[in-house]
Structure formats: C-alpha cells, structure tokens
Amino acid sequence: MQLTRRHLLGSALTLSAMELFPGISHAQARKLVFATFTGSWEEAHRDVLVPAFKKASGQDMLLDAMLSVDQIAKVSAARTNPPIDVMLHDPGPALVAIGQDLVEPFPVAASKNYKDLIPEAQDPMGPSMFFQVVGITYNPETVKTPPTSWADLWKPEYKGRVGITNLNSTLGTGFLVEVARMHGGNEGNVEEGFKAIEKLKPNLAAVAANPGALAALFQQGQVDISPGNFNAIQILKTRGVPVEFVAPKEGAIAFKTSIHIVKNSPNKALAAQLIDVALSPEVQGKLMRSPYLVVPTNGKVRMEGEIAKVLAKDTAEMKKKFVFQDWKKINEHRSAWIDRFNREIKL
C-alpha cells in the first residue's frame, strides 16, 4: 500500500485521538454513526462530509438524521451503549447535552483544524462547524412585495398561507423569542410572543414538525411565507422551487451549530477524526458553495457568492448585522414553552 500525505495526516489524528481515549480500537468499534439534522443538512453532509471522511480515514459511516432533542433523548436512554457516536447541536441543545454529561471533550491538541476556527467557534466540549441564519422565506410568485419584517406574517393577505414550526426546533423557539421581543419581551419572557402567535392562527396553513418538513411545504405549494433557515431553501431553489430569503429589519437570527463526541461511544477516535474533517477548510469551503450555502466557521474560508451577497462578507459583519440570542436563558424555560405551544397552538 502506498502511503500518501493525506493518509499519514489522517492516521496521525486517529492515533493521537486513540491515545487520548485508551482502551479502544477500530476492531472494537461498529460503523461510525453521525446524527445530523433533517432535510438539506442531511443532503449536504451526505454529499460532502461523508465522502471527505471516507477519503481521510478509509472508513465508512452512517448518517442518522433527527432533531437535536431526539438525539439527546436517544443518547440519554442508552448512556452506556449509545447508538450515536457524533451529535450535531444548536446552542440550546448543546448546553443541555453538556449539562447532562452526554459528550466527551474533543481532543483539541490532536486536531489539525481546530486552531483555525474563529474564536467564537472554539469550544473543546464541541467546536462549531457552521453558523445558521434564520430570516423570512417566501414564494416570490405569490408574494409580490418582498417582506421586510417579522410583522408581515400577520398581514391579512396571507390568510391560510403562513407556515411555522413547533418549538422542538431552534428555528421555532428562536422565532417565538423574536416575536416576543417585537412586543417588549425577551429570552426570559415570551408571554407576548404566545399572544401574537395566537393572533397568527387565521394565517397559519401548517405547524411543521421540523425545518425540513417546513421546507417541504414550500415544495408542495402549501405555504407561501414563513420563518426559515437561509440554507434550507437553497436546495429547493436548485430544484426549481420558487423561494427566496430575506433578513427582516429587526435582524435575522444567527447561531452556531456545534459537533460533539458522544460519551461512551465505541468509536471515539473515528468520531474525533470526523469532527476534524468537518472543521477543515476543504469541507467548509465546499459546503459554502451552491447548493448548500452553509456559513463557515474556519477562518481560512473566505465568505463568497450568495452568502457574501445576501448575509455578510465576513463573520465580523455578520455579528454586527444579526441577532444572537441568549440560549442559556432560553433553556431555563424552553421545556415549559414547548408544552404550552403543543397545548395551545393547534390547527
């Protein structure tokens, strides 16, 4: 077998990680399982991350797409023999996973790419592999005047044409907080947000189970306007679905998405290697380009194309333009909000 530089680098990381996690070996491990998100995230990771990991490690892996809350429930129910090796979390669930002792520290010293992340993305309990941005998604064929504010979703002309998600997703909870903020609330007080969503009911066509299901509603023509993830509409656009994204004047919601090694994983060394591949400029550069348009966290990746045109030319500009919510505060109340939303917001 001819050893290339890539093989040597990959092997070096694997060996270093295995030194940090003694007592494991590839022979003991089942195939690596990465719990990604549903919809466009799963497609992007299947197309870019899976082959990059195969190229770097020579190993196959499985994607298991689900919401963060479901990842945590699955791992928490089988702590000593978890069915997942790597979890992907938005800020709120990441704090829960760390707080419940469900994740292992990432072996920073053995990583090739960790040091190149912007400071905000560096966290040894789970580095961030991309930013997400939530604004307004709309169908330009039916919504002739592009929306400019979250308040536009309440306009009478959108009766029966608005989509939202429930609060299990970061998108749903983040939207509730911003609606509350419009009416004087904040991360600790969303009472006015619930009142506003109650008033939104005549306009609601659907409450989707997750962002992927919400994107599908646009494809099926069942909704015309909704809060939505920037990247989620990109794959729809490549399929010819008429959708556009706009940052509302109140500020689009931006948040980091972190990647974690599951505690007691039998594949800790490979999990560390997968994360390092996910942080690499090669993978982040590909994910930034169409049709994925994922906002990178590696400082070596220069923002360009649609991301630079629509969102921000760099992370410094993004931090000035967008809203970053306090998920530590949100987590203090989120379970109660989810229960209340499920009781009260029914169509």
Side-chain angles (χ1 to χ4, degrees):
M1 176 183 176
Q2 184 179 1
L3 290 178
T4 64
R5 183 172 180 271
R6 170 174 55 78
H7 284 115
L8 291 172
L9 287 172
S11 299
L13 176 63
T14 302
L15 290 171
S16 298
M18 291 176 74
E19 289 172 359
L20 292 177
F21 300 113
I24 63 171
S25 70
H26 291 321
Q28 291 174 279
R30 54 169 166 67
K31 193 174 287 187
L32 185 78
V33 178
F34 172 34
T36 183
F37 298 151
T38 57
S40 59
W41 298 110
E42 181 183 10
E43 292 186 41
H45 291 151
R46 189 178 305 284
D47 291 347
V48 176
L49 184 56
V50 171
F53 175 71
K54 173 75 173 180
K55 185 177 179 183
S57 68
Q59 301 290 318
D60 292 318
M61 59 178 281
L62 296 174
L63 291 177
D64 193 1
M66 66 187 89
L67 291 171
S68 281
V69 291
D70 297 325
Q71 297 178 32
I72 290 172
K74 230 174 174 180
V75 170
S76 184
R79 285 173 177 266
T80 58
N81 186 26
I84 297 168
D85 302 296
V86 179
M87 291 194 287
L88 191 65
H89 289 311
D90 294 339
L95 290 171
V96 172
I98 295 169
Q100 294 185 4
D101 195 27
L102 297 178
V103 301
E104 296 269 1
F106 176 64
V108 172
S111 170
K112 177 184 175 187
N113 298 298
Y114 183 88
K115 66 181 186 308
D116 295 325
L117 299 180
I118 63 171
E120 291 82 358
Q122 294 188 13
D123 183 340
M125 292 307 294
S128 295
M129 65 179 290
F130 54 83
F131 282 104
Q132 293 188 59
V133 180
V134 173
I136 301 174
T137 300
Y138 67 99
N139 180 339
E141 294 183 353
T142 55
V143 178
K144 297 302 182 184
T145 303
T148 60
S149 166
W150 294 119
D152 289 347
L153 273 63
W154 279 259
K155 285 184 174 178
E157 59 259 43
Y158 301 136
K159 184 176 181 179
R161 303 307 301 165
V162 174
I164 60 175
T165 68
N166 63 33
L167 302 195
N168 285 336
S169 68
T170 300
L171 187 158
T173 299
F175 174 64
L176 172 67
V177 170
E178 289 314 295
V179 171
R181 203 191 304 278
M182 285 172 52
H183 297 280
N186 53 46
E187 284 91 337
N189 177 13
V190 296
E191 186 61 33
E192 294 302 320
F194 272 106
K195 290 179 182 176
I197 291 180
E198 181 67 30
K199 293 178 182 175
L200 185 63
K201 278 184 177 178
N203 281 13
L204 290 180
V207 179
N210 55 59
L214 182 60
L217 293 175
F218 277 95
Q219 191 169 15
Q220 297 159 6
Q222 295 186 36
V223 300
D224 290 330
I225 185 169
S226 78
N229 285 87
F230 171 73
N231 81 297
I233 69 167
Q234 306 307 326
I235 290 178
L236 291 182
K237 291 178 77 169
T238 65
R239 294 173 180 162
V241 179
V243 285
E244 293 293 344
F245 174 93
V246 65
K249 65 182 182 183
E250 295 85 2
I253 307 164
F255 52 91
K256 299 175 292 185
T257 299
S258 50
I259 184 167
H260 306 264
I261 300 172
V262 175
K263 192 166 187 176
N264 298 322
S265 161
N267 280 316
K268 290 176 185 174
L270 285 176
Q273 189 170 9
L274 171 65
I275 292 174
D276 206 51
V277 171
L279 304 181
S280 69
E282 294 80 11
V283 165
Q284 293 206 359
K286 285 183 181 177
L287 288 174
M288 182 182 64
R289 291 192 282 274
S290 181
Y292 314 113
L293 300 184
V294 175
V295 182
T297 56
N298 189 311
K300 288 185 173 179
V301 181
R302 183 179 177 184
M303 291 188 192
E304 58 186 38
E306 195 74 1
I307 286 178
K309 178 183 173 185
V310 176
L311 297 182
K313 65 179 183 301
D314 54 34
T315 51
E317 184 181 13
M318 195 174 74
K319 284 188 279 189
K320 289 179 182 176
K321 289 175 60 177
F322 298 129
V323 174
F324 290 84
Q325 298 173 331
D326 183 350
W327 279 91
K328 187 175 181 181
K329 190 70 177 177
I330 290 172
N331 275 5
E332 295 175 8
H333 311 280
R334 191 178 182 193
S335 294
W337 296 348
I338 291 173
D339 290 342
R340 179 177 174 183
F341 184 93
N342 291 340
R343 283 196 313 272
E344 297 181 3
I345 311 300
K346 295 178 180 176
L347 299 183

